[in-house]
Amino acid sequence: MAEHRFYLKADWPGLRNDIGTIETLNLKTEVSIPTEMEGPGIGTNPDEMLLGAAATCYIITLAAMMERSGVEKKSLTMQSIGVVDFTNGVVTYKKIIHKPEIVLAEGMADKRNVVERLALKAETSCMISRALQGNVEVKVEPSIK
């Protein structure tokens, strides 16, 4: 069994509505509370980062599954939506909705059903989706052309 470790350095010099930084091997950015939650909205925020982790894991997993299945594509793009609920002072990340748009290469029209199954299976195969399971609902609404 191989174990991989990922590291992140965070610096938060101020109070709630200040601005901090995070740094990983390939990313360095400012972070703050989003304006929707009465923060300064500078840089990214934990809500966007969770959505980004889920979205990138999903789309990479889907691309790999399509490749292994011999499905050629013209393009694979996606919009993802994170739904956060703020009720009675409690913030809850409720749902993530992935909307992949898959344009198949010529001659792949007969693979449409396979691609639809893969689009749904990729969500349960992605390690970030599995980490969220039981806490955040993740839905997939694919469009295949």
Side-chain angles (χ1 to χ4, degrees), residues 42-100:
I42 304 296
T44 191
N45 58 68
D47 308 281
E48 288 177 342
M49 291 181 61
L50 181 62
L51 181 60
T56 54
C57 182
Y58 171 82
I59 202 165
I60 291 168
T61 301
L62 176 56
M65 293 173 80
M66 289 173 63
E67 180 180 343
R68 283 193 299 268
S69 296
V71 176
E72 295 178 31
K73 60 178 174 49
K74 272 190 190 173
S75 66
L76 171 58
T77 59
M78 187 170 75
Q79 289 190 353
S80 293
I81 303 162
V83 180
V84 176
D85 181 61
F86 186 69
T87 303
N88 297 326
V90 178
V91 181
T92 305
Y93 214 114
K94 297 199 55 129
K95 184 187 317 184
I96 292 174
I97 306 162
H98 297 308
K99 296 183 175 193

Side-chain angles (χ1 to χ4, degrees), residues 3-66:
E3 186 175 275
H4 305 283
R5 294 178 186 242
F6 300 91
Y7 298 93
L8 180 140
K9 179 182 174 187
D11 180 31
W12 195 266
L15 301 173
R16 180 193 185 277
N17 280 336
D18 287 315
I19 301 161
T21 59
I22 58 168
E23 184 174 356
T24 66
L25 182 62
N26 295 300
L27 173 70
K28 183 176 183 177
T29 188
E30 292 179 313
V31 292
S32 70
I33 295 173
T35 55
E36 297 87 347
M37 296 178 182
E38 300 176 2
I42 304 296
T44 191
N45 58 68
D47 308 281
E48 288 177 342
M49 291 181 61
L50 181 62
L51 181 60
T56 54
C57 182
Y58 171 82
I59 202 165
I60 291 168
T61 301
L62 176 56
M65 293 173 80
M66 289 173 63

